[in-house]
Amino acid sequence: MKRILIIALAFIFLQHSNAGIIKVVTTTTDMKSIAEMIGGSKVSVTSIATGYQNPHFVDPKPSYIIRLSGADLFITTGLDLETGWSPQLLTSSRNSKIQKGSQGYVDASEGISLLQVPSSVNRAAGDIHIFGNPHYWLDPLNGKVIARNIANGLERIDPSNKTFYEANLQTFFARINTKMKEWQAKMSPFKGSKIIAYHNEWVYFEKRFGLEIVDFMEPKPGIPPSPSQLVKVIREVQANKIQVIISSPYFTTSSSAVVAKQTGAKQLTMATSVGAFNSIKNYFDLFDYDIDQLIAMLK
Ligand SMILES: [Zn+2]
């Protein structure tokens, strides 16, 4: 009897201690990491996609809908990144607090200077970047825009803690500024290095750190490498003496391996999101990892 009472009291305590915690659901782990840094002790954050999953293609599961139905804040990368799965999950959750246009809906892409915005929207060719390149979190300075949007969302639904969120936001900005100097210094000897990428998801990273991506293994974003594309890439690698072909954890390496074998270029799997590899615990680790891996290959 005594034991039952203790368990019951512990349960009530746990429920109570969880009260007031804002439940945040993000589409990706990068948004989760930034939301945790801004929300601190006031939030509990979960991400639908893992860091080693292709964010364009996530299989919707009933458990995601349940999670969304209890969320206070929803954060999406936006654009065309999660179009195939996230809007459907959101509708199915029937949670009016987090629907598009509601207080608890955050589109993290708001205010991002988008790259590669097409002049006309055409999904017919299989292109999955119809609103511009959606992989913008791979520029650390865009991390600041994301953080600002997340702070705005938290302050909308929890205005009494505005000072707390603003302070965390300033800490985040300062940390980005410090790390940015370190990352730029590491990358500066490799300015202008030419590389090949599997999917067109590195343009923000490329621009920020002065790389030159000559071509992609995919002939169009979302379209698997074709034999003619492989021939084209092999010629480009040879003509430009390209050393590295970068890919992501969720793509098969077989086509890149063909190019590598033909040309002597090396393959490198980079991380596109937090959690892509065990050592990448947060948004800062992501760039530490990618930059260290890349410069080791370019040396
Ligand atoms: Zn993409």
Side-chain angles (χ1 to χ4, degrees), residues 56 81 128-129 134-135 199-201 221:
H56 284 296
L81 190 80
I128 51 171
H129 290 174
H135 300 274
H199 176 67
N200 185 1
E201 59 200 322

Side-chain angles (χ1 to χ4, degrees), residues 100-135:
K100 196 172 183 177
S102 304
Q103 301 269 296
Y105 180 95
V106 174
D107 181 343
S109 73
E110 228 178 273
I112 296 280
S113 301
L114 288 176
L115 301 174
Q116 300 175 336
V117 178
S119 48
S120 65
V121 169
N122 182 13
R123 209 185 277 277
D127 198 327
I128 51 171
H129 290 174
I130 60 170
F131 304 120
N133 195 299
H135 300 274

